[in-house]
Amino acid sequence: MLIVSPPTLTTMARRALCFSLICMAWLFTAQAKAAKSEPSASTGKRPNIIFILADDLGYGDVGCFGQKQIKTPHLDQMASEGLRFTQAYAGAPVCAPSRCVLMTGMHQGHGRVRGNVEATTLPATLLAEDVTVASVLKDAGYKTGLIGKWGLGEPQKNAHGLPNRHGFDYFYGYLKQGHAHNYYPDYLWQNESKVKLPNVISDDPALKHNVSSKQVKYSHDLFAEEALKFVREHKDQPFFLDLSFTIPHANDEAVDNGMEVPSLGEYEKTDWPAPQKGYAAMVSRMDGDIGRLFALLKELKIDDNTLVIFTSDNGAHQEGGFNPRFFNSSGPFRGFKGNVTDGGIHEPMIARWPGHVPVGKTTDAPVYFADMMPTFANLAKWKAVRDPKTAKIELFDLSNDV
């Protein structure tokens, strides 16, 4: 279990460089050995940042982290072209508090959201004064987008927790945890407006709002398309994209098999139980869409100025009929989602940034979700320092520093 001490001015300042320095140290070593190495064309530019967050994906569910049965060729290629972190930790063993740590840079001792409950009460929603990584990057001149799952504020009672009020220029996806269980919802949110979808929710009262009787538009596919659109629209300026996929989370209300996916693909022919087939198909579907994203970065010629990080919000689940032991989803670790053991919080993480992050390397340096805010602020040429007494963040513009 990772234990993080309360932040101080000294530790926050040091952590602001920690993650990027880990990557850079590898790069400098590689450059020292390569006499013919040339500097990247993007040297000195502020990088685009894409943070890809899977939902309930275990440490051992990716090929380059030991998975033998689920195919993840694009993530495996990402690892071969980047840096693989073997000691990466989520913010919490369940979704909402983990994302709160990621967004605010505050560990659970200070975090606003500390449980997976509907975000209509104060313990489950951000407040207006909370600073997020998106607001830091927006202040630094980045275009900011969140596509997928939020879970840190809803419109009913505490609209100040909505993503557009916390630094995101654009939001498309789910606001509520429970709503995100259904991969065929009858609506999604676009900024602060509902967008109706052709899916039809079952009228069976026992199934509530999370199972659809008419399945037309698959939310994950919509998120993948929106992500590509966001990148195309903002290719000529620094951007931050928080791509929070809901795959492979289960639809907990779908009793027999909560692994909702349009096609089982190659897993259809296996003799695995249905939930295992669905889980594998979901992971491979996400992997394919990540491959499309990398192809677009190359097509737009912004590949060498884009840092992409992939990880998961917590460990593999035991929901919707899925048995995480079937695929050894936690790898060598004990426990699963909801457990405060490594299986619940120890995540796969890969970083890729051509010309900056080392190629095909592995590090056991510890990384934690709270490290992302100061790291991204540093890459944007800002410094984010939190006062340990007030928990307020102060920003310093470093763009003119020599």
Side-chain angles (χ1 to χ4, degrees):
M1 174 181 175
L2 181 68
I3 299 176
V4 183
S5 59
T8 64
L9 289 171
T10 302
T11 57
M12 281 298 294
R14 183 172 65 248
R15 244 171 45 184
L17 294 172
C18 174
F19 184 74
S20 53
L21 286 181
I22 291 170
C23 298
M24 296 302 177
W26 280 101
L27 175 63
F28 296 152
T29 301
Q31 286 180 331
K33 295 180 180 179
K36 295 183 179 181
S37 63
E38 297 181 359
S40 167
S42 62
T43 299
K45 292 177 62 177
R46 296 185 301 168
N48 306 312
I49 301 169
I50 300 177
F51 192 89
I52 305 174
L53 189 65
D55 198 335
D56 293 3
L57 182 81
Y59 180 93
D61 283 329
V62 181
C64 57
F65 284 86
Q67 180 54 231
K68 304 300 183 184
Q69 300 178 85
I70 303 174
K71 305 294 178 59
T72 57
H74 298 288
L75 286 171
D76 297 344
Q77 182 176 350
M78 180 184 179
S80 71
E81 296 174 352
L83 183 62
R84 190 169 64 93
F85 290 82
T86 61
Q87 297 292 328
Y89 290 86
V94 292
C95 176
S98 185
R99 291 161 197 262
C100 181
V101 172
L102 174 65
M103 281 291 103
T104 65
M106 301 176 76
H107 64 67
Q108 282 290 280
H110 291 282
R112 183 80 64 186
V113 178
R114 303 189 184 188
N116 263 2
V117 296
E118 298 297 350
T120 55
T121 56
L122 289 183
T125 182
L126 297 182
L127 298 183
E129 63 265 28
D130 293 327
V131 177
T132 69
V133 63
S135 57
V136 170
L137 292 176
K138 182 178 174 66
D139 285 348
Y142 276 62
K143 277 294 181 181
T144 56
L146 167 63
I147 295 170
K149 183 175 176 182
W150 175 238
L152 300 177
E154 298 170 22
Q156 291 90 337
K157 295 182 180 180
N158 298 299
H160 44 63
L162 298 177
N164 293 108
R165 308 189 189 191
H166 283 281
F168 285 105
D169 294 310
Y170 181 73
F171 166 63
Y172 182 80
Y174 300 100
L175 289 175
K176 296 175 62 173
Q177 303 285 345
H179 187 214
H181 289 182
N182 188 357
Y183 284 84
Y184 293 96
D186 59 347
Y187 72 90
L188 289 169
W189 289 90
Q190 186 173 48
N191 297 318
E192 296 186 12
S193 300
K194 287 184 178 180
V195 176
K196 185 172 176 55
L197 299 177
N199 305 316
V200 177
I201 303 302
S202 172
D203 58 5
D204 183 346
L207 298 177
K208 299 182 180 179
H209 63 285
N210 286 327
V211 177
S212 297
S213 57
K214 181 179 180 181
Q215 300 179 339
V216 181
K217 293 289 187 180
Y218 191 59
S219 62
H220 170 83
D221 292 349
L222 298 176
F223 297 155
E225 291 300 325
E226 284 288 327
L228 298 178
K229 179 181 176 183
F230 183 88
V231 171
R232 288 191 187 97
E233 289 179 348
H234 302 293
K235 63 182 176 62
D236 296 323
Q237 61 193 123
F239 65 80
F240 167 60
L241 174 59
D242 180 359
L243 184 51
S244 292
F245 286 134
T246 50
I247 279 177
H249 196 293
N251 187 337
D252 295 338
E253 289 74 27
V255 180
D256 296 328
N257 179 11
M259 311 313 299
E260 292 184 328
V261 63
S263 170
L264 295 177
E266 64 182 287
Y267 305 109
E268 177 72 60
K269 298 179 181 179
T270 68
D271 59 359
W272 303 343
Q276 318 308 317
K277 292 181 181 181
Y279 187 93
M282 294 171 85
V283 174
S284 289
R285 194 179 195 88
M286 175 181 62
D287 178 81
D289 289 323
I290 291 171
R292 292 168 62 203
L293 179 61
F294 280 123
L296 179 62
L297 295 177
K298 292 177 181 178
E299 175 191 326
L300 298 176
K301 297 181 171 34
I302 58 173
D303 187 45
D304 66 345
N305 195 43
T306 303
L307 168 64
V308 182
I309 296 175
F310 171 83
T311 189
S312 176
D313 65 343
N314 50 249
H317 64 75
Q318 303 180 82
E319 302 164 8
F322 177 67
N323 178 4
R325 295 176 178 82
F326 188 90
F327 294 125
N328 193 28
S329 292
S330 295
F333 306 121
R334 178 169 59 91
F336 308 102
K337 174 184 177 180
N339 300 142
V340 193
T341 53
D342 271 48
I345 56 177
H346 200 145
E347 307 305 325
M349 181 178 282
I350 309 168
R352 179 187 181 275
W353 181 11
H356 296 267
V357 170
V359 175
K361 300 295 184 179
T362 298
T363 178
D364 60 0
V367 178
Y368 172 56
F369 272 18
D371 296 329
M372 297 302 110
M373 176 189 279
T375 295
F376 295 165
N378 180 65
L379 292 173
K381 301 187 184 301
W382 283 70
K383 182 178 178 182
V385 177
R386 189 185 308 280
D387 187 305
K389 295 181 179 179
T390 65
K392 299 287 187 181
I393 287 180
E394 187 172 1
L395 298 176
F396 299 91
D397 187 350
L398 305 180
S399 58
N400 295 319
D401 286 6
V402 177

